[in-house]
Amino acid sequence: MTELKRQNALLELLQQQGSITVTEIVNTFGISPATARRDITKLDTQGKLKKVRNGAYPCEESKNNNWSPLTIYETANYDEKARIAKQAAKICKNGDSIVINCGSTAFMLGQEICGKPVQVITNYFPLLNYLIEQQHENLVVLGGQYYKERNLFLTTDQKADTYYAGHYMFTSGSGLSEEGLFKVDLLSAMVEQKMLNHVNKVVALVDSSKVGQRIGTLFSLAEKLDIVITGKDANPTIISALRNKGVEVILV
């Protein structure tokens, strides 16, 4: 991974967690403490985070620059994510029940699905709010405590989500390699994993910039992924390896 990609991934992880330590950076990216501190110092100088002892916090400006439903058109790789969302929506048939997890691509998928006779199961507050405002008729809310920094309702209750089942789970991640799908937010990943055994197929929505990246924790082995939808510029070696493992890969 290049320095620029690593630092961008570090900022993404920081925004999701609300803070980050040098130790977390070392463990996540497999770099030395000295390199982790240099990354923090460089990003602090650029005004992209606030450096503190043994870690960092988001600066106020970066907090205010997070995407929202009103600014989603400004999100990174918007055009590709929009194509991914449109392709994902085509998979869904009338009467299907689908689980949609968090992220900008997930939100765009919700926009595509909205108003169609499809049941949406989610704990992602921006999507819930949008679907309610648009009067989507069939909506299931996965409950729990609301985490403002993640925009999610989360619970560690092992039985809480076992009452729901879906035809598809649409999820994303911080990286996708021949090993599988990676995520940086451990708490939300744990909650999502509880649903894996209650859906017929798992669909990973990953923009091409994340294909070939190993960032965070392995959320799902490649063999457990049924479909991957990504951009045409995705690393061809990784795409070939995934197909050899029986994963259906759709390039858009």
Side-chain angles (χ1 to χ4, degrees):
M1 183 187 299
T2 66
E3 178 183 282
L4 180 59
K5 286 185 177 180
R6 182 180 69 245
Q7 291 174 357
N8 286 337
L10 190 161
L11 290 171
E12 182 178 346
L13 177 59
L14 178 60
Q15 291 300 326
Q16 292 185 4
Q17 295 188 173
S19 66
I20 196 166
T21 66
V22 170
T23 300
E24 287 175 323
I25 296 171
V26 168
N27 293 337
T28 299
F29 300 104
I31 58 177
S32 68
T35 300
R37 291 190 175 91
R38 281 197 296 271
D39 281 352
I40 290 175
T41 299
K42 186 172 183 177
L43 292 169
D44 177 69
T45 302
Q46 295 173 351
K48 295 181 178 179
L49 54 71
K50 180 177 176 57
K51 178 181 177 182
V52 296
R53 181 178 176 82
N54 293 323
Y57 287 93
C59 61
E60 289 302 316
E61 181 179 358
S62 65
K63 287 181 181 178
N64 295 332
N65 283 339
N66 286 344
W67 77 267
S68 73
L70 295 177
T71 62
I72 194 167
Y73 299 101
E74 301 173 7
T75 191
N77 302 317
Y78 170 78
D79 289 340
E80 183 178 297
K81 290 179 178 179
R83 295 196 303 272
I84 291 171
K86 287 181 181 296
Q87 182 62 47
K90 291 178 182 178
I91 294 176
C92 305
K93 304 293 190 298
N94 290 349
D96 277 354
S97 178
I98 65 172
V99 179
I100 303 180
N101 295 319
C102 63
S104 54
T105 309
F107 182 83
M108 286 185 249
L109 171 58
Q111 289 180 310
E112 295 291 330
I113 292 295
C114 185
K116 298 180 180 179
V118 172
Q119 182 183 68
V120 176
I121 304 171
T122 187
N123 63 343
Y124 188 39
F125 181 72
L127 179 57
L128 285 169
N129 192 52
Y130 174 83
L131 293 175
I132 291 170
E133 287 183 345
Q134 298 301 315
Q135 299 182 11
H136 185 79
E137 292 188 1
N138 203 338
L139 179 62
V140 176
V141 181
L142 296 177
Q145 180 176 342
Y146 176 61
Y147 288 79
K148 181 179 179 181
E149 68 277 10
R150 292 177 171 88
N151 272 321
L152 293 171
F153 293 95
L154 299 174
T155 177
T156 55
D157 183 352
Q158 293 299 312
K159 297 181 179 180
D161 302 330
T162 59
Y163 305 106
Y164 307 107
H167 293 88
Y168 298 98
M169 173 190 277
F170 293 94
T171 189
S172 58
S174 55
L176 177 69
S177 74
E178 64 276 10
E179 295 175 73
L181 183 66
F182 289 79
K183 290 179 179 287
V184 293
D185 192 324
L186 296 181
L187 181 57
S188 61
M190 288 172 57
V191 174
E192 287 183 36
Q193 281 183 327
K194 292 190 297 178
M195 287 294 296
L196 288 177
N197 295 326
H198 303 284
V199 295
N200 294 337
K201 290 189 176 183
V202 178
V203 185
L205 311 178
V206 184
D207 69 77
S208 59
S209 68
K210 296 176 182 177
V211 176
Q213 305 298 330
R214 299 175 69 258
I215 302 172
T217 300
L218 184 61
F219 167 75
S220 174
L221 293 171
E223 292 84 355
K224 299 293 185 179
L225 300 176
D226 296 286
I227 303 172
V228 167
I229 306 177
T230 187
K232 294 179 180 178
D233 294 330
N235 186 318
T237 301
I238 303 299
I239 297 303
S240 178
L242 291 171
R243 285 172 170 162
N244 288 337
K245 291 187 175 184
V247 181
E248 179 185 353
V249 180
I250 302 173
L251 302 178
V252 296

